[in-house]
Amino acid sequence: MRSVVRLLLLSTMIALATGCASKKDVEVLPEKTYYDNARKAMNSGNFNEAEQNLDALETYYPFGRYAEQAQLDLIYARYQNLDLEGSRAAADRFMRLNPQSEHLDYALYMRGLASYNLDIGLAARYFAIDVAARNPGEQLQAFRDFSQLLNRYPDSEYAPDARQRMIAVRNRMAELELHAARYYIKREAYIAANNRARYVVENYPSSPSVEEALILLADTFRLMDLKKGASDAIATLRTNFPNSEAFDENGEFQSDRLRRQNRSLTNVVTFGLMGDE
């Protein structure tokens, strides 16, 4: 019994000694050393090492002289490490801790940039992915962030790029609506397809998708025997896109969008039936 007690005491002493030793092994560097190491790593493109030093700087010197700059650098380092959610979280934290900072425009811009790329992810960097076919997800959040940046800091150096990205988001959203319209056409849900096409025309009038949306509007209106709706859509198309491919050499509307979509669906069904034989 005594030997068991001695063994337990010895084990406890060893564990305590090991714990103390491990704590002593963690050397806290001076604040400037962490900052200099982080900047050096960022300048050399080693953003993983930069992030480690910035995290340590925030941990040991949360109110130090480099705290604000370290928080800004952490947003960028995480973004470059493709940790987009982490970058956005770091931007949120910076804005919460530094509400009067002169760098709030940068934090807003980076938060929008992270959201802008978050839906696409790594796969789109290496594979052909139709972004318009994906759920919009964070695109609207990016649009809100960029819009807030332009409203609060219209003269910011990041404003021009934010404005261009807002246009890109609008174009993506319009193309997403067209993607849905084509989906409904394949399933012969023409009223739903018509609604999606009309939404593009009414809400994204400056997007490149408007021409195709007007053609689908005219096609679906004609299929549903709604002559006035079809006539209005064709007239709008003729006014804004006189050289549209939907007009033949005599200027007559000759679209076959619905026939092509239905033919495509028939091919898929036929192929499937042949494969089952």
Side-chain angles (χ1 to χ4, degrees), residues 147-208:
S147 179
Q148 186 178 357
L149 170 63
L150 293 178
N151 289 332
R152 294 176 60 182
Y153 308 101
D155 298 324
S156 168
E157 62 181 298
Y158 310 106
D161 186 71
R163 189 174 293 107
Q164 292 302 310
R165 292 182 188 276
M166 288 176 69
I167 294 173
V169 170
R170 282 175 174 166
N171 292 344
R172 286 183 187 177
M173 300 302 294
E175 182 57 33
L176 179 65
E177 294 295 327
L178 277 187
H179 182 84
R182 297 185 192 106
Y183 172 88
Y184 286 127
I185 287 173
K186 286 182 179 181
R187 282 146 186 80
E188 300 183 4
Y190 299 116
I191 294 178
N194 182 279
N195 288 337
R196 293 292 186 133
R198 186 166 64 250
Y199 187 88
V200 172
V201 174
E202 293 175 352
N203 292 276
Y204 306 106
S206 59
S207 75

Side-chain angles (χ1 to χ4, degrees), residues 2-3 18 35 55 59 83 90 97 136 173 183 186 199 201 207 225 238 259 268:
R2 290 181 179 178
S3 61
T18 303
Y35 180 75
D55 283 334
T59 299
D83 180 10
L97 296 178
M173 300 302 294
Y183 172 88
K186 286 182 179 181
Y199 187 88
V201 174
S207 75
D225 200 28
R238 193 185 307 279
R259 289 193 296 274
V268 172

